[in-house]
Amino acid sequence: DSQASIECRQPILDGGNQKRDCDFDVTGAAVCGRDLPVSTAAAANNADRSPTSELADALAAPDGPSLRRVTSLRQRRLLDFFLVMAVCNSVVVSIDQPASESAADSTATSATSVDSAVKRWKRQVWRRKAPPAASSELSASAAVAASAAPTPSLTPSPTPPTPLVLETDQLSAGTPEPCRYTDAELTKAYVAESPDEAALVRAACRSGCKLVQRDADSCLVWLPADGHVRLPLLCVMPFDADRKRMSVLVRDPATNRPMLLTKGADCAVLDRLRPSDPADTDSDADRVLLLTRLHMEQYSVAGLRTLCLAVRYLDEAEYADWLAEYTLAQRRIQGREAAMARAFDRLEAGLELLGATGVEDRLQEGAADTVAALREAGISVWVLTGDKQETAVQVGHACRLLTEGQQLLTLVADSPAEAGDRVRRWLRELDVAYRPAYQIRQRRARPAVRDGVALVLDGRALRHCLDELVSCDFLLLAEQCSSVLCCRTTPSQKAAVVGLVKESLGMQTLAIGDGANDVSMIQTADIGVGISGQEGMQAVMAADFSLARFRFLKKLLLVHGHWCYDRLARMSLYLFYKNCVYIMMLFWYQLFNGFSGQVNIGQVYQICFNLTMTSLGPLVIGILDRHLSAEILMANPVLYTDAQNCRSYLPWHFWLNILDAVWQSLVVFFVAYLGAMDTDCGIWSFGDTVVSAGVITAVAHNALEVRGWTGLHWFALLGSPLIAWFAFAIVLNLVCTNCLHPDNPYYVIVHGLTTARFWLPQLLAPVLALTPRLCVRAYRNTTRSNLTAQALRHQSSAASTRSTKPAWLLSPSAATRRRNGGGSSGDAVELATAGNFDGAAVATGAAGIISVGGEVGLSTSSDPHRLPLQTRPRTFPGPPPTAAALTALSSRSLSFLVRGNGSGVGGGRRVRTRSASSAAATAAAGRRASW
Ligand SMILES: Nc1ncnc2c1ncn2[C@@H]1O[C@H](COP(=O)(O)OP(=O)(O)OP(=O)(O)O)[C@@H](O)[C@H]1O
Ligand SMILES: [Mg+2]
């Protein structure tokens, strides 16, 4: 699933894990503070009045709709509307569970309990072992109806059940008995796979139509005019993403006729309505349809998820006929699914529209920030949702995937040719050159994204875009757009889109979703992330990573992703290095023995060099090292682009690393050789000196690579030479009196430790071997201006300011910063020329002034970890800042990223200013000079 849709899926758990029923409602008006009408046939005549309470009032009125009285058609529709809301779903009433469990206070618990409760119910439905015993609240007529429910095998009854005529006295006469549970108890007890369904059942309950109990064979509802009424369940046609609807076949308790209750997406229900009869002048079907469409549009534009509710009454012959087909379909071994779908299709036709509902689907806390951060990190975010377009666009705006003023390219097409034409026209308009598919994949750099353009398409258009004749152009277009929103997508389309991006663009893909409809997409993507929420655990079970909240994705990618990449890159480089050093130490000895293959290092040491003596250091780097703090990485998503561009492991890093290894082995070997020259040093004693210097050099190299020291780092790096080498070798030399022929090490190192020719190389070789690396490191740290280098400098300066060291131990700039109150902001603002911007001036701090081509704006942030790091200049529309405006900022953190036209501020010179106000004046002067 897409990020935005995940967010939308989680409205109920929002607000600090509190499940707040009042956050959503089908009717919205009273509860959500939204003045939205509910579209029903009953409300059709009075659509301009507030229908929310009107509907509930109408249901509860003394002369309101009742099953035991003859009511008007309009009243019956109102009753059916609420019955669909209450019954057409897979909601289980787990009233006996403690509220804390059933209310799903914790996401994980709720997901598990939802899953298990719903699964239990589904098992019951499919097994149908025994018809339920008539309970006390069952009215006599309902009891007859219940017993008339089909047998477990769903075999069509040879004779239709006795028609049940509802007799007035069979239902409780007079005032109906009150509902046995309170609204609060019931709403807490509803456990649903889908949060929308739970919202609908709760809304129906609050309006007066209460689902009290559900088992495999029947549903017990409470109605204001009738009390408890049991509806025998004949068949449940579960929701699936291809049909986009769900139906329940029940017996109407009033007439005992089969009655199909359906709810689903507008596109899945409105096409299946019974055509209106022009001869029937009483029918207001057209009017209801018109109003329902109008209301749904209002709901969608308000960002609500809409559903259409419909009903169909069948007669016994129709039902028996259908049941025969359905039973045959169920018994098929091959093509069972298709046959069942055909049977469902046949029944779910000729529907009568009852109305529509809108469920508010709020974004999780932090969702918008997360999407914004991912986009800032250079990650292309595509939203693939089953929602309708209007709702998805609203959600896109809410999560800041779409921005105001953006050009929305809305693709509607009925054929691949039409889709191809539209796409190619837009490509021409955007001035994008055509490229064949293989070139797109082989391309090194991604094209620049146009911030002002977003692409929106629905499932039908997407199907044509996935056609192989159109897909290449579609991808070219999609790449140009800052966001892509695919609506009304099926699970298979979601997977196909991910597969297309992965294969054709050669990109690493991450799919995140929370529902069963996201499973195939999650499995197709390179990295699958499941959100455990109200929609069950399927997504989590299929995913590589599981999160409880969408906002945790930011930390997963920007912090842990970044760390992981950096650690693995440096660990791999180190592993190549140490193997090369070891092999080369053996190789140099071959120059002295005519390449005979004789080695100067004992067998045990050869094995242990890699296995124990130099293995802990890279492991600790690979697991624990952190070159940038989590705060800096979270505050500066743009740092993620370094990882995306593989900056820590470029081909030249590898070759330089190997060259360095060759150099170090050369130094280690020949320094030991010079020490042993013209002495009585034996081959194994010389070997000990080489191994020892090699271990110390490799560990010192490792120490240079460490970015964040911890106790484990110290243990690994001190333990490797002291314990894994010296202690081990001494013990082996003392113990091994006559072993390991021919290199019996007995007393060799113990004797060597007493000689200067052993110790001198131990000191000299590491220093000489590591000097080039140290010099290059120092040079690069001083001169590099890329994002990571800037962040590292900021981090170390902040650390030195926080440090409790005496001032004379700090560098002059750190001492100045500490005097100025810390950080790199405040009075001391430094303007320095940035290497990659022509004529740009950069200063560290928290506020930024960013300008391109004469337009300039201000961006401020109070986060002290936020750096003015920008890979691309950005344009902030607005007039250039005046000196006064800049000076006004002097009381706050201030920094500049000012782009001139080659002259003016910065202008290739390094400018140092004393105070923010003088920096402001300089900038303003620069502005005048350059814009
Ligand atoms: N339980 C349900 N009963 C009837 N119709 C449903 C049900 N759940 C969803 N729908 C309808 O089917 C459409 C598609 O549902 P689907 O689950 O594929 O995607 P979604 O829930 O809208 O979005 P997402 O992709 O974010 O999960 C929904 O927009 C809704 O109109
Ligand atoms: Mg869904």
Side-chain angles (χ1 to χ4, degrees):
D1 207 344
S2 58
Q3 287 83 341
S5 59
I6 304 308
E7 287 313 300
C8 305
R9 297 273 85 242
Q10 302 295 321
I12 298 157
L13 285 172
D14 206 8
N17 290 358
Q18 291 294 312
K19 186 171 187 166
R20 293 190 298 172
D21 289 348
C22 59
D23 287 346
F24 51 87
D25 199 332
V26 275
T27 50
V31 186
C32 306
R34 289 169 183 252
D35 190 17
L36 295 165
V38 169
S39 165
T40 67
N45 292 335
N46 279 314
D48 47 341
R49 288 174 52 199
S50 167
T52 306
S53 54
E54 185 184 319
L55 283 181
D57 293 349
L59 195 66
D63 59 342
S66 161
L67 291 170
R68 62 189 159 102
R69 278 195 306 271
V70 177
T71 55
S72 70
L73 182 61
R74 192 164 296 140
Q75 284 194 330
R76 181 59 220 233
R77 280 175 180 164
L78 177 62
L79 204 55
D80 289 346
F81 180 81
F82 282 107
L83 282 179
V84 180
M85 280 169 67
V87 173
C88 181
N89 49 55
S90 54
V91 174
V92 179
V93 191
S94 68
I95 199 88
D96 294 325
Q97 285 188 19
S100 59
E101 278 176 36
S102 57
D105 283 336
S106 103
T107 316
T109 322
S110 104
T112 324
S113 66
V114 170
D115 266 5
S116 54
V118 175
K119 267 187 205 140
R120 229 178 306 130
W121 175 71
K122 279 187 177 164
R123 263 201 307 276
Q124 284 175 16
V125 170
W126 291 111
R127 281 191 197 147
R128 288 177 168 237
K129 278 195 176 137
S135 53
S136 57
E137 75 286 332
L138 198 74
S139 68
S141 58
V144 176
S147 61
T151 54
S153 63
L154 280 180
T155 318
S157 358
T159 48
T162 323
L164 178 114
V165 181
L166 188 76
E167 292 174 21
T168 317
D169 57 342
Q170 282 179 326
L171 279 166
S172 46
T175 317
E177 55 174 327
C179 182
R180 59 157 85 152
Y181 302 114
T182 62
D183 280 7
E185 281 171 335
L186 280 176
T187 48
K188 270 184 188 168
Y190 293 141
V191 179
E193 252 180 355
S194 147
D196 291 5
E197 289 191 338
L200 292 179
V201 180
R202 280 195 202 104
C205 175
R206 271 193 237 112
S207 303
C209 176
K210 304 172 201 291
L211 175 68
V212 177
Q213 190 194 348
R214 178 197 294 272
D215 56 37
D217 300 286
S218 62
C219 287
L220 183 68
V221 291
W222 183 91
L223 295 167
D226 301 312
H228 293 97
V229 178
R230 191 172 288 275
L231 276 78
L233 274 177
L234 301 178
C235 182
V236 177
M237 292 163 226
F239 169 76
D240 73 63
D242 291 320
R243 279 165 50 240
K244 291 191 173 44
R245 58 182 177 265
M246 163 177 195
S247 301
V248 172
L249 191 62
V250 295
R251 277 196 184 275
D252 178 2
T255 61
N256 200 31
R257 279 175 65 188
M259 172 170 79
L260 184 78
L261 307 175
T262 300
K263 76 174 195 311
D266 53 352
C267 57
V269 172
L270 296 186
D271 291 348
R272 313 186 70 80
L273 297 182
R274 192 176 57 198
S276 60
D277 180 4
D280 183 1
T281 47
D282 284 350
S283 164
D284 58 356
D286 290 340
R287 185 184 161 81
V288 171
L289 179 61
L290 202 71
L291 272 167
T292 304
R293 281 188 196 278
L294 187 76
H295 292 159
M296 276 200 301
E297 203 176 310
Q298 285 175 298
Y299 292 163
S300 309
V301 170
L304 303 187
R305 287 166 59 83
T306 57
L307 283 175
C308 282
L309 312 189
V311 68
R312 176 184 172 185
Y313 292 96
L314 293 101
D315 56 39
E316 287 302 336
E318 268 178 320
Y319 169 60
D321 196 23
W322 174 83
L323 192 60
E325 181 187 340
Y326 178 64
T327 312
L328 281 181
Q330 268 200 318
R331 287 179 183 163
R332 284 178 77 141
I333 294 173
Q334 281 186 338
R336 184 168 175 269
E337 304 249 308
M340 299 251 297
R342 274 198 301 278
F344 290 165
D345 233 39
R346 181 176 152 198
L347 200 66
E348 291 168 329
L351 302 170
E352 210 175 303
L353 185 63
L354 293 171
T357 59
V359 179
E360 187 178 7
D361 210 355
R362 293 200 307 172
L363 289 178
Q364 269 185 15
E365 186 196 337
D369 282 350
T370 306
V371 172
L374 296 184
R375 294 184 60 201
E376 201 182 326
I379 297 171
S380 306
V381 182
W382 289 34
V383 172
L384 313 175
T385 175
D387 262 341
K388 65 187 289 192
Q389 187 170 319
E390 292 83 349
T391 310
V393 168
Q394 285 309 313
V395 172
H397 280 293
C399 68
R400 285 198 256 147
L401 188 77
L402 305 176
T403 47
E404 287 304 327
Q406 222 176 15
Q407 184 191 358
L408 286 191
L409 305 179
T410 307
L411 183 60
V412 182
D414 287 323
S415 66
E418 194 184 342
D421 282 351
R422 285 296 286 274
V423 169
R424 280 187 282 275
R425 206 174 63 224
W426 278 329
L427 283 174
R428 276 196 300 278
E429 278 171 24
L430 293 175
D431 209 14
V432 180
Y434 171 76
R435 277 166 185 268
Y438 73 93
Q439 273 191 13
I440 297 182
R441 201 186 150 77
Q442 285 168 1
R443 193 185 40 192
R444 288 222 169 149
R446 281 167 53 200
V449 167
R450 293 164 204 247
D451 279 344
V453 187
L455 180 63
V456 180
L457 64 164
D458 68 1
R460 209 153 28 132
L462 182 64
R463 195 174 68 232
H464 303 312
C465 288
L466 293 175
D467 188 292
E468 61 179 18
L469 293 176
V470 188
S471 62
C472 180
D473 293 334
F474 166 66
L475 285 178
L476 269 180
L477 177 67
E479 265 195 313
Q480 301 289 323
C481 300
S482 66
S483 12
V484 179
L485 194 56
C486 303
C487 320
R488 285 283 183 236
T489 47
T490 59
S492 54
Q493 280 181 329
K494 290 180 182 183
V497 171
V498 173
L500 184 73
V501 171
K502 191 168 130 181
E503 295 301 325
S504 305
L505 295 184
M507 284 187 173
Q508 290 284 316
T509 50
L510 178 147
I512 176 163
D514 69 340
N517 55 346
D518 305 318
V519 168
S520 45
M521 170 181 78
I522 285 175
Q523 284 174 337
T524 309
D526 296 292
I527 304 153
V529 182
I531 300 184
S532 51
Q534 290 261 312
E535 291 213 34
M537 296 296 281
Q538 289 102 321
V540 168
M541 302 300 280
D544 304 307
F545 295 90
S546 149
L547 303 178
R549 287 282 180 281
F550 179 73
R551 66 170 189 276
F552 299 155
L553 183 66
K554 183 175 169 185
K555 191 162 188 186
L556 178 73
L557 288 181
L558 303 189
V559 179
H560 294 287
H562 193 113
W563 280 344
C564 257
Y565 165 71
D566 186 70
R567 286 165 182 167
L568 288 179
R570 283 185 298 122
M571 188 182 80
S572 312
L573 284 174
Y574 184 80
L575 292 179
F576 287 125
Y577 151 84
K578 75 177 179 120
N579 278 285
C580 186
V581 165
Y582 163 64
I583 294 297
M584 293 309 290
M585 285 187 322
L586 293 174
F587 174 79
W588 300 127
Y589 188 63
Q590 305 306 306
L591 300 179
F592 295 87
N593 63 20
F595 290 89
S596 69
Q598 167 69 45
V599 289
N600 57 333
I601 300 175
Q603 295 166 25
V604 177
Y605 302 149
Q606 283 181 41
I607 296 168
C608 292
F609 186 87
N610 257 332
L611 203 64
T612 53
M613 296 177 202
T614 54
S615 61
L616 273 185
L619 272 185
V620 172
I621 287 190
I623 298 170
L624 288 177
D625 213 27
R626 298 172 174 193
H627 74 313
L628 283 170
S629 68
E631 292 78 26
I632 291 214
L633 289 172
M634 288 287 270
N636 301 285
V638 72
L639 290 170
Y640 189 74
T641 50
D642 270 1
Q644 272 179 330
N645 298 328
C646 303
R647 289 268 164 76
S648 300
Y649 193 116
L650 295 169
W652 65 266
H653 284 157
F654 174 81
W655 292 114
L656 204 66
N657 191 54
I658 296 294
L659 210 65
D660 193 25
V662 173
W663 159 255
Q664 292 188 23
S665 65
L666 200 78
V667 170
V668 167
F669 184 87
F670 283 99
V671 168
Y673 174 73
L674 290 177
M677 237 165 57
D678 297 333
T679 65
D680 60 351
C681 176
I683 177 173
W684 304 124
S685 182
F686 172 64
D688 285 353
T689 314
V690 172
V691 173
S692 183
V695 170
I696 294 174
T697 307
V699 169
H701 178 122
N702 200 336
L704 279 184
E705 291 302 308
V706 172
R707 303 278 174 81
W709 285 90
T710 64
L712 276 174
H713 283 83
W714 284 107
F715 172 76
L717 295 184
L718 289 179
S720 296
L722 293 183
I723 302 171
W725 163 239
F726 281 114
F728 169 73
I730 291 169
V731 171
L732 184 77
N733 277 235
L734 294 177
V735 170
C736 202
T737 49
N738 187 17
C739 57
L740 298 171
H741 180 77
D743 51 323
N744 182 6
Y746 184 60
Y747 237 70
V748 175
I749 198 164
V750 181
H751 173 70
L753 287 176
T754 59
T755 60
R757 68 173 158 72
F758 178 86
W759 285 111
L760 266 177
Q762 311 309 318
L763 301 174
L764 207 58
V767 173
L768 260 182
L770 292 175
T771 302
R773 175 165 283 263
L774 256 177
C775 293
V776 170
R777 173 68 54 84
Y779 175 76
R780 291 192 69 213
N781 281 353
T782 320
T783 57
R784 247 184 349 170
S785 62
N786 70 12
L787 300 175
T788 308
Q790 288 180 46
L792 280 168
R793 261 178 242 141
H794 177 84
Q795 180 173 268
S796 61
S797 69
S800 60
T801 311
R802 278 199 312 270
S803 148
T804 50
K805 282 187 204 163
W808 56 269
L809 269 181
L810 296 176
S811 68
S813 57
T816 313
R817 265 192 303 273
R818 187 189 282 184
R819 271 202 305 282
N820 288 330
S824 52
S825 55
D827 284 337
V829 177
E830 188 180 273
L831 298 179
T833 306
N836 35 2
F837 294 108
D838 174 34
V842 182
T844 52
I849 301 172
I850 300 154
S851 82
V852 175
E855 279 190 289
V856 69
L858 300 175
S859 83
T860 59
S861 159
S862 56
D863 187 345
H865 299 289
R866 180 83 179 178
L867 313 173
L869 302 172
Q870 299 290 335
T871 40
R872 295 188 288 267
R874 295 238 184 126
T875 303
F876 289 81
T882 59
L886 293 169
T887 313
L889 279 171
S890 60
S891 56
R892 307 163 62 175
S893 312
L894 177 64
S895 70
F896 297 87
L897 175 58
V898 184
R899 183 164 179 144
N901 297 330
S903 59
V905 177
R909 290 175 297 118
R910 199 178 168 84
V911 185
R912 195 178 279 274
T913 59
R914 289 271 157 140
S915 65
S917 49
S918 62
T922 312
R927 172 182 62 77
R928 277 197 295 277
S930 55
W931 294 303

